[in-house]
Amino acid sequence: MRYTLCILLLLASLTAKPCGWSGPYGPSFYNLFRQTNIAPQEFWPFLREDATTFYYPENFDNDQHPVGNLKLWAKTLSWPLSEVEKVMYASDSGYDRYWEAHNRPIDVRARVYMSFARKCADVFSYRGLDSWDYDEIAKKQSPDYEALLTEANRLMAGEADPILKRRYAYQIVRIFHYAKRYEEAVAFYENKVKPMGLRYEIDYYTLDQVAGCRFSLKEYERAAYDFLRVFGASQDRKKSAYMSYRFCGYKSGTGKSLLKSHSDSLAYLTLLGVQHHVKQTSALEQLAKLAPTSPNTELLFARELFDLEDSTWPKYLGFSDAEGRSLPNLGQSGKEWAKNLEEIAVGIMENPKTKQRKDYWRLASSYLAFLRGDLALAQKRLPLKGEYAEQAKLLAKVYEVTSWKAVGPEQEARLAELLTGELQNFKDWQLLFNDFVANKYYTQGDWAKAFLMHNAVGNLRGLNAMELVDKLIVFAKKENKNAFEKYLANRCLDKDSGEKDLLAELQYAKARCYMKASQPQKALEMFRLSGITGASVGPRLFSNNTKECFDCDEDFVMEDLVYKASPFAFLKENMYLPDVAESLLKLDSLTRNEQKWKRKLAHYLLGNYYFNISNTGYYRGTLNDSGNCCHYTFVPGKHGEETAMEILNAGKSFSMDGIDWNTQYYYDFQKEARKQYRKTIELSTDKELNARCLYMIAKCELNDYYNNVFDRYSFYRGTVNEESLPYKTAFKELKSNYADTEFYKKILDECSFFDKYVNSPI
């Protein structure tokens, strides 16, 4: 009983095999050949699946009642299957009502059995208690097993119907099993049940129970043999037998030494292949010779083809180091693998014994011929009529598109038909074509279309990709776009967020690139062309702070108020990026003003701006129209990371899918900020202002340190050592020359990094 209980408890947690990745949206590759093409649904749970123990296709009813048992009842009673199901799974109140219309002798005897079976189910219901503690469950109830056995034996002895007699035998073995009277269960089976033979589904229910008793008696080899026979012949108990067989395997029980028949060998090889105890291809090859027309052979073949597809059609290549990758991605070893499977498929297809499943093997052999590069043969073999016509027609489209050497107007006309019409209900196939075509565009230098195959125009927000934006602008300005180009131009706009004009959005993106390049004049011109303002920002963009709190309100953090001085009245309360660009030009003009104090403060505000938009500044997301969270987003995980344009120009990417993950946040703005603060100090005799400027320069040095030296931004705590000391020159100057200022006292109290520096022995 403990063994059986363990199986029940572990069933949900064990996985088939941890090789490969499968997320909540399916496998990490394009699965084009449906595994469920195999004939019997009872084998579907054993198809390839890495995320869970058993495979279930979408919309599959995992809670459906055991069909084999229902069919046997329908045969016994000569009732419709639906009527049997109603009676068997009726509530207590509805159970008697269903029987009222059935009064034949066989009906009466069947009702006696079903009533006893329901009684047994109630007695054993404690086994389903929601607990992981076996002892707790065992204490819940101590059934009167002896009374149940007495009643079951009496009923069995008085039953003449061979199937009902077998059902009572099942209940007796089950009672012995749950009572832990394993030897008695086996003895009863050998003496009373086994002579009846294995003819019906209920016989395998009984054998499944006996095998569990043998396992508890540590007869692992014999238990494994019985479980594999259940797996091979039962319609309902396959999953249970499979899990139990695996437990036997943990005890070195395989059942191999006891194999007696063709069906035994068939079940044994199937279990080996499903579990990967041996190379799956080897088990498949043996099955193909032993039983070429068996559904077991189809099962292992489907699993093997699934594994081949795992190597052939990878998803998520995208914007990554994809040198040498392609779709289909099949090297010489993969082609040999495909050829081997193709030979198996062709051999079975041409076997005279294959009567009913020729189209399945024809479809498989076509697909495999395509994978190894024989397009003509693949097209010739496609079964375009019959059971697999729909999938054959879909594969024909894959053959067509992935055989293109380049993508031009002719191919684009076909893509318009496919992606906007024929494949609208086949999302995964659309994604495959997107990946393939995007790669072709990228490798042939058509960057604009490569980008638009996967990206919305908003994905440019975090990039500094002027060359890419220029190519997109050329595309947007193109007149007489074909149907596919119009499709690309339309789908990249987010109408819900107000994006209506592709050219305007691209001009706005280019303006942001100019802002990132510190070219406000060109940015302003492009902003005006686009007519887009972007997100708003306040005048505190030109302030500065001593408190470091990125999720605090700007009114609390940005404390310096110099920006409110009368020369800077043009700094509006609500500004947009075009206003920021114009303000930068006005501040730059003020740095050449005749009045020294205005020049000084203009440099000061420019310093504030450039530090604030740096990747450690409070407004670090402003040029991307985004917020300022979080540290791990804005500071590179490692130094020397390539920018999007460096990757594109080096030809290292497969496509531009995911290019927006390569957001560039570091533009070395601290260098310009430091320059402006130094000019402020040169023009200033105000020691308090100069002390604050030095503190801001220290923050610029820290930015330089984070981005170019220290790899663990979140863990730096201001340590002063040989590595960090060269980045603390402003702290040194502040300590040496401004210790008498009020700002020095303030910052010594508020800044732990400065306090550590001042008190450091270095």
Side-chain angles (χ1 to χ4, degrees), residues 577-623:
L577 285 184
D579 302 317
V580 173
E582 190 171 6
S583 297
L584 290 172
L585 294 173
K586 290 178 179 179
L587 285 172
D588 181 67
S589 177
L590 281 172
T591 62
R592 295 181 293 278
N593 191 276
E594 292 180 356
Q595 294 180 286
K596 184 177 180 181
W597 72 274
K598 290 184 179 180
R599 297 201 304 273
K600 173 186 70 175
L601 295 183
H603 282 299
Y604 179 62
L605 264 59
L606 284 170
N608 290 343
Y609 165 79
Y610 281 109
F611 178 77
N612 284 336
I613 63 168
S614 75
N615 61 337
T616 56
Y618 183 83
Y619 295 95
R620 54 193 177 180
T622 298
L623 298 188

Short mmCIF file of all heavy atoms in Angstrom, two decimals, residues 577-623:
data_model
loop_
_atom_site.label_atom_id
_atom_site.label_comp_id
_atom_site.label_asym_id
_atom_site.label_seq_id
_atom_site.Cartn_x
_atom_site.Cartn_y
_atom_site.Cartn_z
N LEU A 577 10.64 66.73 -24.86
CA LEU A 577 12.00 66.62 -25.41
C LEU A 577 12.32 67.75 -26.41
O LEU A 577 13.46 68.26 -26.40
CB LEU A 577 12.21 65.25 -26.05
CG LEU A 577 12.41 64.09 -25.07
CD1 LEU A 577 12.72 62.79 -25.82
CD2 LEU A 577 13.54 64.38 -24.09
N PRO A 578 11.40 68.16 -27.29
CA PRO A 578 11.73 69.31 -28.14
C PRO A 578 12.05 70.56 -27.31
O PRO A 578 12.96 71.33 -27.68
CB PRO A 578 10.46 69.51 -28.97
CG PRO A 578 9.81 68.16 -29.01
CD PRO A 578 10.10 67.56 -27.66
N ASP A 579 11.33 70.76 -26.20
CA ASP A 579 11.61 71.90 -25.32
C ASP A 579 12.98 71.75 -24.66
O ASP A 579 13.71 72.74 -24.49
CB ASP A 579 10.54 72.02 -24.24
CG ASP A 579 9.15 72.19 -24.81
OD1 ASP A 579 8.99 72.96 -25.76
OD2 ASP A 579 8.23 71.52 -24.30
N VAL A 580 13.32 70.52 -24.29
CA VAL A 580 14.63 70.27 -23.67
C VAL A 580 15.74 70.61 -24.66
O VAL A 580 16.74 71.26 -24.31
CB VAL A 580 14.74 68.81 -23.20
CG1 VAL A 580 16.16 68.51 -22.72
CG2 VAL A 580 13.74 68.52 -22.09
N ALA A 581 15.59 70.17 -25.91
CA ALA A 581 16.60 70.47 -26.94
C ALA A 581 16.75 71.98 -27.12
O ALA A 581 17.87 72.51 -27.18
CB ALA A 581 16.21 69.81 -28.25
N GLU A 582 15.62 72.68 -27.16
CA GLU A 582 15.66 74.14 -27.33
C GLU A 582 16.30 74.80 -26.11
O GLU A 582 17.09 75.76 -26.24
CB GLU A 582 14.24 74.66 -27.55
CG GLU A 582 14.19 76.11 -27.97
CD GLU A 582 12.79 76.54 -28.40
OE1 GLU A 582 11.84 75.73 -28.25
OE2 GLU A 582 12.65 77.68 -28.88
N SER A 583 16.02 74.30 -24.93
CA SER A 583 16.60 74.85 -23.69
C SER A 583 18.10 74.65 -23.67
O SER A 583 18.86 75.53 -23.21
CB SER A 583 15.95 74.19 -22.48
OG SER A 583 14.57 74.48 -22.42
N LEU A 584 18.56 73.50 -24.13
CA LEU A 584 20.01 73.24 -24.19
C LEU A 584 20.70 74.25 -25.10
O LEU A 584 21.80 74.74 -24.79
CB LEU A 584 20.27 71.82 -24.68
CG LEU A 584 19.91 70.69 -23.72
CD1 LEU A 584 20.03 69.34 -24.41
CD2 LEU A 584 20.79 70.73 -22.48
N LEU A 585 20.06 74.59 -26.21
CA LEU A 585 20.64 75.58 -27.13
C LEU A 585 20.68 76.96 -26.48
O LEU A 585 21.66 77.71 -26.64
CB LEU A 585 19.82 75.63 -28.42
CG LEU A 585 19.86 74.35 -29.28
CD1 LEU A 585 18.90 74.45 -30.44
CD2 LEU A 585 21.28 74.10 -29.79
N LYS A 586 19.65 77.30 -25.73
CA LYS A 586 19.63 78.61 -25.04
C LYS A 586 20.67 78.66 -23.93
O LYS A 586 21.33 79.69 -23.73
CB LYS A 586 18.23 78.87 -24.48
CG LYS A 586 17.19 79.14 -25.56
CD LYS A 586 15.80 79.36 -24.98
CE LYS A 586 14.78 79.65 -26.09
NZ LYS A 586 13.41 79.84 -25.55
N LEU A 587 20.83 77.57 -23.21
CA LEU A 587 21.86 77.52 -22.16
C LEU A 587 23.25 77.62 -22.78
O LEU A 587 24.14 78.31 -22.25
CB LEU A 587 21.73 76.23 -21.35
CG LEU A 587 20.58 76.17 -20.35
CD1 LEU A 587 20.45 74.76 -19.77
CD2 LEU A 587 20.79 77.19 -19.23
N ASP A 588 23.43 76.94 -23.89
CA ASP A 588 24.73 77.02 -24.57
C ASP A 588 25.01 78.45 -25.00
O ASP A 588 26.15 78.94 -24.90
CB ASP A 588 24.73 76.08 -25.77
CG ASP A 588 26.06 76.10 -26.50
OD1 ASP A 588 27.06 75.64 -25.92
OD2 ASP A 588 26.10 76.57 -27.66
N SER A 589 23.98 79.13 -25.48
CA SER A 589 24.15 80.53 -25.87
C SER A 589 24.52 81.39 -24.66
O SER A 589 25.37 82.29 -24.76
CB SER A 589 22.85 81.03 -26.51
OG SER A 589 22.95 82.39 -26.83
N LEU A 590 23.90 81.09 -23.51
CA LEU A 590 24.20 81.86 -22.29
C LEU A 590 25.63 81.64 -21.80
O LEU A 590 26.17 82.49 -21.08
CB LEU A 590 23.21 81.47 -21.19
CG LEU A 590 21.83 82.12 -21.27
CD1 LEU A 590 20.89 81.51 -20.24
CD2 LEU A 590 21.93 83.64 -21.05
N THR A 591 26.25 80.52 -22.16
CA THR A 591 27.66 80.31 -21.74
C THR A 591 28.60 81.29 -22.45
O THR A 591 29.77 81.38 -22.08
CB THR A 591 28.12 78.88 -22.05
OG1 THR A 591 28.06 78.65 -23.47
CG2 THR A 591 27.27 77.84 -21.33
N ARG A 592 28.07 82.02 -23.43
CA ARG A 592 28.87 83.04 -24.13
C ARG A 592 28.36 84.46 -23.82
O ARG A 592 28.71 85.42 -24.51
CB ARG A 592 28.83 82.78 -25.63
CG ARG A 592 29.51 81.47 -26.02
CD ARG A 592 29.50 81.23 -27.52
NE ARG A 592 28.15 80.99 -28.05
CZ ARG A 592 27.54 79.82 -28.01
NH1 ARG A 592 28.15 78.78 -27.46
NH2 ARG A 592 26.31 79.69 -28.49
N ASN A 593 27.52 84.57 -22.79
CA ASN A 593 26.97 85.85 -22.39
C ASN A 593 28.07 86.75 -21.84
O ASN A 593 29.05 86.28 -21.27
CB ASN A 593 25.89 85.63 -21.34
CG ASN A 593 25.07 86.88 -21.06
OD1 ASN A 593 25.48 87.72 -20.27
ND2 ASN A 593 23.93 86.99 -21.73
N GLU A 594 27.89 88.07 -21.99
CA GLU A 594 28.88 89.03 -21.51
C GLU A 594 29.00 89.00 -19.99
O GLU A 594 30.07 89.26 -19.43
CB GLU A 594 28.51 90.44 -21.97
CG GLU A 594 28.63 90.64 -23.47
CD GLU A 594 28.26 92.05 -23.88
OE1 GLU A 594 27.85 92.84 -22.98
OE2 GLU A 594 28.37 92.37 -25.07
N GLN A 595 27.91 88.65 -19.33
CA GLN A 595 27.92 88.66 -17.87
C GLN A 595 28.44 87.32 -17.34
O GLN A 595 27.88 86.26 -17.63
CB GLN A 595 26.51 88.93 -17.33
CG GLN A 595 26.01 90.34 -17.66
CD GLN A 595 24.62 90.58 -17.14
OE1 GLN A 595 23.64 90.06 -17.69
NE2 GLN A 595 24.51 91.37 -16.07
N LYS A 596 29.49 87.41 -16.57
CA LYS A 596 30.19 86.22 -16.08
C LYS A 596 29.28 85.32 -15.25
O LYS A 596 29.33 84.10 -15.36
CB LYS A 596 31.40 86.67 -15.26
CG LYS A 596 32.27 85.53 -14.76
CD LYS A 596 33.48 86.09 -14.02
CE LYS A 596 34.37 84.98 -13.52
NZ LYS A 596 35.54 85.52 -12.77
N TRP A 597 28.44 85.91 -14.41
CA TRP A 597 27.61 85.09 -13.52
C TRP A 597 26.59 84.26 -14.30
O TRP A 597 26.25 83.14 -13.91
CB TRP A 597 26.93 85.96 -12.47
CG TRP A 597 25.82 86.85 -12.97
CD1 TRP A 597 25.95 88.10 -13.49
CD2 TRP A 597 24.43 86.54 -12.98
NE1 TRP A 597 24.74 88.61 -13.84
CE2 TRP A 597 23.77 87.67 -13.53
CE3 TRP A 597 23.67 85.46 -12.57
CZ2 TRP A 597 22.39 87.74 -13.69
CZ3 TRP A 597 22.30 85.52 -12.72
CH2 TRP A 597 21.66 86.64 -13.29
N LYS A 598 26.14 84.83 -15.43
CA LYS A 598 25.22 84.07 -16.26
C LYS A 598 25.94 82.92 -16.96
O LYS A 598 25.39 81.82 -17.09
CB LYS A 598 24.56 84.99 -17.30
CG LYS A 598 23.57 85.99 -16.69
CD LYS A 598 22.88 86.80 -17.78
CE LYS A 598 21.89 87.78 -17.16
NZ LYS A 598 21.21 88.60 -18.21
N ARG A 599 27.18 83.22 -17.40
CA ARG A 599 27.95 82.14 -18.04
C ARG A 599 28.18 81.00 -17.05
O ARG A 599 28.03 79.83 -17.37
CB ARG A 599 29.31 82.67 -18.54
CG ARG A 599 29.19 83.73 -19.60
CD ARG A 599 30.48 83.86 -20.41
NE ARG A 599 31.65 84.13 -19.63
CZ ARG A 599 32.08 85.33 -19.25
NH1 ARG A 599 31.38 86.41 -19.59
NH2 ARG A 599 33.18 85.48 -18.54
N LYS A 600 28.56 81.40 -15.83
CA LYS A 600 28.83 80.42 -14.78
C LYS A 600 27.63 79.52 -14.53
O LYS A 600 27.73 78.28 -14.52
CB LYS A 600 29.23 81.16 -13.49
CG LYS A 600 29.36 80.27 -12.28
CD LYS A 600 29.62 81.10 -11.02
CE LYS A 600 28.37 81.89 -10.61
NZ LYS A 600 28.56 82.60 -9.31
N LEU A 601 26.47 80.11 -14.33
CA LEU A 601 25.29 79.32 -13.98
C LEU A 601 24.76 78.52 -15.17
O LEU A 601 24.16 77.44 -14.99
CB LEU A 601 24.18 80.23 -13.43
CG LEU A 601 24.52 80.91 -12.09
CD1 LEU A 601 23.34 81.72 -11.59
CD2 LEU A 601 24.93 79.89 -11.04
N ALA A 602 24.98 79.01 -16.39
CA ALA A 602 24.59 78.24 -17.58
C ALA A 602 25.40 76.96 -17.66
O ALA A 602 24.86 75.87 -17.93
CB ALA A 602 24.77 79.08 -18.84
N HIS A 603 26.72 77.06 -17.43
CA HIS A 603 27.56 75.87 -17.39
C HIS A 603 27.09 74.91 -16.29
O HIS A 603 27.06 73.69 -16.48
CB HIS A 603 29.03 76.26 -17.14
CG HIS A 603 29.73 76.79 -18.35
ND1 HIS A 603 29.90 76.05 -19.49
CD2 HIS A 603 30.31 78.01 -18.58
CE1 HIS A 603 30.57 76.78 -20.39
NE2 HIS A 603 30.82 77.98 -19.86
N TYR A 604 26.72 75.50 -15.16
CA TYR A 604 26.27 74.69 -14.02
C TYR A 604 25.01 73.88 -14.37
O TYR A 604 24.93 72.68 -14.12
CB TYR A 604 26.01 75.63 -12.83
CG TYR A 604 25.51 74.96 -11.57
CD1 TYR A 604 26.29 74.01 -10.91
CD2 TYR A 604 24.27 75.31 -11.02
CE1 TYR A 604 25.84 73.41 -9.73
CE2 TYR A 604 23.82 74.73 -9.85
CZ TYR A 604 24.61 73.77 -9.21
OH TYR A 604 24.17 73.18 -8.06
N LEU A 605 24.05 74.54 -14.98
CA LEU A 605 22.82 73.83 -15.36
C LEU A 605 23.07 72.79 -16.45
O LEU A 605 22.43 71.73 -16.45
CB LEU A 605 21.75 74.83 -15.80
CG LEU A 605 20.74 75.24 -14.69
CD1 LEU A 605 21.46 75.86 -13.51
CD2 LEU A 605 19.69 76.21 -15.25
N LEU A 606 23.98 73.09 -17.36
CA LEU A 606 24.32 72.10 -18.38
C LEU A 606 24.97 70.87 -17.73
O LEU A 606 24.70 69.73 -18.11
CB LEU A 606 25.25 72.70 -19.44
CG LEU A 606 24.58 73.64 -20.44
CD1 LEU A 606 25.63 74.37 -21.28
CD2 LEU A 606 23.64 72.85 -21.36
N GLY A 607 25.82 71.13 -16.74
CA GLY A 607 26.42 70.01 -16.01
C GLY A 607 25.36 69.16 -15.33
O GLY A 607 25.40 67.93 -15.38
N ASN A 608 24.40 69.84 -14.71
CA ASN A 608 23.30 69.10 -14.07
C ASN A 608 22.55 68.24 -15.08
O ASN A 608 22.23 67.08 -14.82
CB ASN A 608 22.33 70.09 -13.41
CG ASN A 608 22.92 70.77 -12.19
OD1 ASN A 608 23.91 70.31 -11.63
ND2 ASN A 608 22.30 71.87 -11.77
N TYR A 609 22.21 68.83 -16.21
CA TYR A 609 21.46 68.09 -17.23
C TYR A 609 22.22 66.84 -17.65
O TYR A 609 21.63 65.73 -17.66
CB TYR A 609 21.21 68.98 -18.45
CG TYR A 609 20.78 68.20 -19.67
CD1 TYR A 609 19.46 67.76 -19.81
CD2 TYR A 609 21.70 67.86 -20.66
CE1 TYR A 609 19.07 67.01 -20.92
CE2 TYR A 609 21.31 67.11 -21.78
CZ TYR A 609 20.01 66.69 -21.90
OH TYR A 609 19.63 65.93 -22.98
N TYR A 610 23.48 66.99 -17.99
CA TYR A 610 24.21 65.83 -18.53
C TYR A 610 24.44 64.76 -17.47
O TYR A 610 24.43 63.56 -17.79
CB TYR A 610 25.54 66.28 -19.16
CG TYR A 610 25.33 66.86 -20.53
CD1 TYR A 610 25.48 68.23 -20.76
CD2 TYR A 610 24.95 66.06 -21.59
CE1 TYR A 610 25.27 68.77 -22.02
CE2 TYR A 610 24.73 66.58 -22.86
CZ TYR A 610 24.89 67.94 -23.07
OH TYR A 610 24.65 68.46 -24.30
N PHE A 611 24.60 65.17 -16.21
CA PHE A 611 24.69 64.11 -15.21
C PHE A 611 23.33 63.45 -14.99
O PHE A 611 23.23 62.23 -14.88
CB PHE A 611 25.22 64.62 -13.86
CG PHE A 611 25.25 63.51 -12.85
CD1 PHE A 611 26.25 62.56 -12.88
CD2 PHE A 611 24.22 63.35 -11.92
CE1 PHE A 611 26.25 61.48 -12.00
CE2 PHE A 611 24.21 62.28 -11.04
CZ PHE A 611 25.23 61.35 -11.08
N ASN A 612 22.28 64.24 -14.95
CA ASN A 612 20.95 63.69 -14.66
C ASN A 612 20.48 62.68 -15.71
O ASN A 612 19.74 61.76 -15.39
CB ASN A 612 19.92 64.83 -14.55
CG ASN A 612 20.02 65.58 -13.24
OD1 ASN A 612 20.50 65.03 -12.25
ND2 ASN A 612 19.59 66.83 -13.23
N ILE A 613 20.90 62.85 -16.96
CA ILE A 613 20.48 61.90 -18.00
C ILE A 613 21.48 60.75 -18.16
O ILE A 613 21.26 59.85 -18.98
CB ILE A 613 20.25 62.59 -19.36
CG1 ILE A 613 21.55 63.19 -19.89
CG2 ILE A 613 19.12 63.60 -19.29
CD1 ILE A 613 21.46 63.63 -21.34
N SER A 614 22.56 60.78 -17.37
CA SER A 614 23.49 59.66 -17.40
C SER A 614 22.82 58.45 -16.75
O SER A 614 21.77 58.57 -16.12
CB SER A 614 24.78 60.00 -16.64
OG SER A 614 24.56 59.97 -15.23
N ASN A 615 23.44 57.30 -16.89
CA ASN A 615 22.76 56.09 -16.40
C ASN A 615 22.83 55.91 -14.89
O ASN A 615 22.32 54.92 -14.37
CB ASN A 615 23.29 54.84 -17.11
CG ASN A 615 24.77 54.60 -16.88
OD1 ASN A 615 25.52 55.52 -16.56
ND2 ASN A 615 25.21 53.37 -17.05
N THR A 616 23.40 56.88 -14.16
CA THR A 616 23.28 56.90 -12.70
C THR A 616 22.59 58.17 -12.23
O THR A 616 22.55 58.44 -11.03
CB THR A 616 24.65 56.75 -12.01
OG1 THR A 616 25.53 57.79 -12.48
CG2 THR A 616 25.26 55.39 -12.31
N GLY A 617 22.04 58.95 -13.16
CA GLY A 617 21.33 60.17 -12.81
C GLY A 617 19.85 59.92 -12.60
O GLY A 617 19.29 58.93 -13.08
N TYR A 618 19.20 60.84 -11.92
CA TYR A 618 17.79 60.66 -11.56
C TYR A 618 16.90 60.58 -12.79
O TYR A 618 15.89 59.88 -12.80
CB TYR A 618 17.35 61.82 -10.66
CG TYR A 618 15.93 61.69 -10.16
CD1 TYR A 618 15.63 60.92 -9.04
CD2 TYR A 618 14.88 62.32 -10.83
CE1 TYR A 618 14.32 60.78 -8.59
CE2 TYR A 618 13.56 62.20 -10.38
CZ TYR A 618 13.29 61.42 -9.27
OH TYR A 618 12.00 61.27 -8.83
N TYR A 619 17.26 61.27 -13.85
CA TYR A 619 16.43 61.30 -15.06
C TYR A 619 17.01 60.41 -16.17
O TYR A 619 16.90 60.71 -17.35
CB TYR A 619 16.31 62.75 -15.56
CG TYR A 619 15.56 63.65 -14.61
CD1 TYR A 619 16.25 64.43 -13.68
CD2 TYR A 619 14.18 63.70 -14.62
CE1 TYR A 619 15.56 65.26 -12.80
CE2 TYR A 619 13.48 64.52 -13.73
CZ TYR A 619 14.17 65.29 -12.83
OH TYR A 619 13.49 66.09 -11.95
N ARG A 620 17.57 59.30 -15.77
CA ARG A 620 18.32 58.46 -16.71
C ARG A 620 17.47 57.79 -17.78
O ARG A 620 18.00 57.28 -18.75
CB ARG A 620 19.08 57.39 -15.93
CG ARG A 620 18.24 56.55 -14.99
CD ARG A 620 19.12 55.75 -14.08
NE ARG A 620 18.36 54.97 -13.10
CZ ARG A 620 18.92 54.18 -12.19
NH1 ARG A 620 20.24 54.09 -12.15
NH2 ARG A 620 18.20 53.51 -11.33
N GLY A 621 16.15 57.78 -17.62
CA GLY A 621 15.31 57.20 -18.66
C GLY A 621 14.69 58.22 -19.59
O GLY A 621 13.98 57.85 -20.53
N THR A 622 14.99 59.50 -19.38
CA THR A 622 14.29 60.57 -20.09
C THR A 622 14.44 60.48 -21.60
O THR A 622 13.46 60.62 -22.35
CB THR A 622 14.78 61.94 -19.60
OG1 THR A 622 14.48 62.07 -18.21
CG2 THR A 622 14.12 63.07 -20.37
N LEU A 623 15.63 60.25 -22.10
CA LEU A 623 15.85 60.24 -23.55
C LEU A 623 15.24 59.01 -24.21
O LEU A 623 15.18 58.94 -25.45
CB LEU A 623 17.34 60.34 -23.88
CG LEU A 623 18.04 61.61 -23.39
CD1 LEU A 623 19.46 61.69 -23.93
CD2 LEU A 623 17.25 62.86 -23.80
#
